[in-house]
Amino acid sequence: MARFQPYTEEEKASLSQKYTPEQMEAIEAGETSISAQDLATQGAMRDDEHKLPYISDLSTIDPVIDHPVTPRSRLDPQNRPQGDASTRSGRGSSSRKEEEEEDPHMKRLIRQTGYTKQQIRRLRLKSLVAHRVTNQTRMGKIQSIYHLSVAGDGKGMLGIGEGKAHEDGDARRQAMMAAIRNMKPVPRYEERTIFGEVTGKVGAVELRLSARPPGFGLRCQHLIFEMARAAGIGDLSGKVLRSRNKMNVCKATFQALMQQKLPEDIARARGRKLVDVRKVYYGGKTF
């Protein structure tokens, strides 16, 4: 309480040299409206178990740390388009029929991710790996279909998912919905390539991805090509060094894209200031 004392006349005189009379009135009104006890109790740093492990400005959204939150769309009967009675009755019956026939898996996916049905339909979905698997049990061999799919919005979000079921359609749906739920932001330099060179290793698969200049295109294996296109990366080169296992290639590519070292983090670790030479000195016209 002793730290929060009212302004003295000397402090008010020094503040009046920096601020206008209207601003001084606002400062005095704020001082009188907020009690010193509230500042002492609520202005301190939290030390409870639910505090954030880092200092962050909660008024801004960090695309790498914060999860995207999209408001859910709800069908408002008051905002339906106007028309004749037959049109309205036809649209009402069709909308009710769509609600009745809506896939329960899609409803659960919308609740889990927060995306609307239109946003999910605009995602780029592709099944990259599909094969039959067999599980040997005491009752005999149980065969299933395995799918590995990739999902992305073409603007820096990418996810992969796996699914296994007795029917091909069920396995494909499980993999695609898992990929949508697992979407994460991929760091992109100039929204077209990656930062430097990264490596990934899953099992016996080792691969290397490298950034390339504008117009280079995607010169890599077809699995890496599909994942880069889903994430919105247009200039990239990749090379698989050892095993060519398709499932592990997809997982190693996702691992490499997530493990990129950002220039800001490197500069902060070295105690330096970050300057983008290309943008500052060359106006972004050279690589």
Side-chain angles (χ1 to χ4, degrees), residues 220-271:
C220 49
Q221 192 186 32
H222 69 283
L223 299 173
I224 304 175
F225 176 91
E226 295 294 344
M227 297 184 65
R229 190 171 64 167
I233 297 175
D235 300 312
L236 182 73
S237 67
K239 186 175 183 181
V240 182
L241 303 177
R242 293 178 60 192
S243 173
R244 301 306 198 265
N245 183 278
K246 295 182 179 180
M247 181 178 63
N248 289 341
V249 166
C250 297
K251 295 180 180 180
T253 303
F254 187 75
Q255 179 192 92
L257 293 176
M258 293 295 111
Q259 292 180 351
Q260 297 184 60
K261 293 183 178 180
L262 301 181
E264 294 85 356
D265 298 336
I266 298 175
R268 190 181 301 110
R270 296 179 178 177

Side-chain angles (χ1 to χ4, degrees), residues 42-223:
Q42 301 181 11
M45 296 293 293
R46 293 175 55 179
D47 56 355
D48 56 295
E49 59 180 359
H50 301 292
K51 68 176 182 179
L52 294 176
Y54 55 89
I55 299 177
S56 175
D57 184 8
L58 300 179
S59 61
T60 60
I61 297 178
D62 191 337
V64 177
I65 299 176
D66 299 329
H67 295 282
V69 179
T70 306
R72 303 172 185 172
S73 64
R74 298 182 182 273
L75 183 60
D76 189 0
Q78 302 296 331
N79 296 330
R80 291 179 180 174
Q82 299 296 329
D84 56 345
S86 61
T87 305
R88 291 198 300 270
S89 62
R91 290 179 179 176
S93 61
S94 62
S95 63
R96 287 193 299 270
K97 186 176 180 180
E98 290 178 358
E99 291 180 359
E100 294 174 356
E101 297 179 355
E102 187 176 1
D103 187 5
H105 303 285
M106 180 62 68
K107 291 183 179 180
R108 184 165 61 252
L109 181 63
I110 292 174
R111 291 196 301 267
Q112 292 173 345
T113 61
Y115 294 123
T116 62
K117 187 183 297 184
Q118 291 75 16
Q119 290 175 326
I120 294 177
R121 289 175 178 174
R122 285 195 294 266
L123 295 177
R124 184 186 296 273
L125 302 172
K126 192 174 184 63
S127 179
L128 301 182
V129 181
H131 57 258
R132 186 177 296 275
V133 294
T134 303
N135 182 25
Q136 179 66 51
T137 65
R138 63 184 182 89
M139 303 298 295
K141 295 182 178 180
I142 308 300
Q143 294 188 351
S144 302
I145 304 296
Y146 171 86
H147 272 272
L148 187 145
S149 301
V150 62
D153 61 351
K155 298 179 182 178
M157 297 292 293
L158 180 67
I160 60 174
E162 299 174 288
K164 186 172 66 173
H166 296 293
E167 299 295 335
D168 183 77
D170 295 340
R172 182 188 298 269
R173 185 187 65 250
Q174 290 180 15
M176 290 186 175
M177 290 190 174
I180 295 174
R181 288 193 296 266
N182 296 333
M183 284 199 307
K184 297 180 181 179
V186 176
R188 297 183 300 163
Y189 177 65
E190 295 183 348
E191 298 183 356
R192 61 172 185 82
T193 186
I194 62 176
F195 289 89
E197 183 175 305
V198 292
T199 59
K201 183 180 186 303
V202 175
V205 173
E206 292 183 4
L207 54 83
R208 181 173 62 247
L209 306 178
S210 304
R212 286 297 178 258
F216 185 86
L218 296 174
R219 304 184 188 180
C220 49
Q221 192 186 32
H222 69 283
L223 299 173

Side-chain angles (χ1 to χ4, degrees), residues 2-73:
R3 294 183 302 170
F4 306 104
Q5 299 296 332
Y7 286 116
T8 61
E9 296 298 332
E10 293 78 6
E11 293 175 342
K12 291 182 179 180
S14 60
L15 290 175
S16 61
Q17 298 178 359
K18 299 180 181 180
Y19 302 103
T20 62
E22 293 80 5
Q23 292 175 336
M24 289 298 300
E25 293 179 1
I27 292 175
E28 293 178 356
E31 289 289 331
T32 56
S33 61
I34 302 176
S35 64
Q37 184 178 1
D38 293 341
L39 289 177
T41 56
Q42 301 181 11
M45 296 293 293
R46 293 175 55 179
D47 56 355
D48 56 295
E49 59 180 359
H50 301 292
K51 68 176 182 179
L52 294 176
Y54 55 89
I55 299 177
S56 175
D57 184 8
L58 300 179
S59 61
T60 60
I61 297 178
D62 191 337
V64 177
I65 299 176
D66 299 329
H67 295 282
V69 179
T70 306
R72 303 172 185 172
S73 64

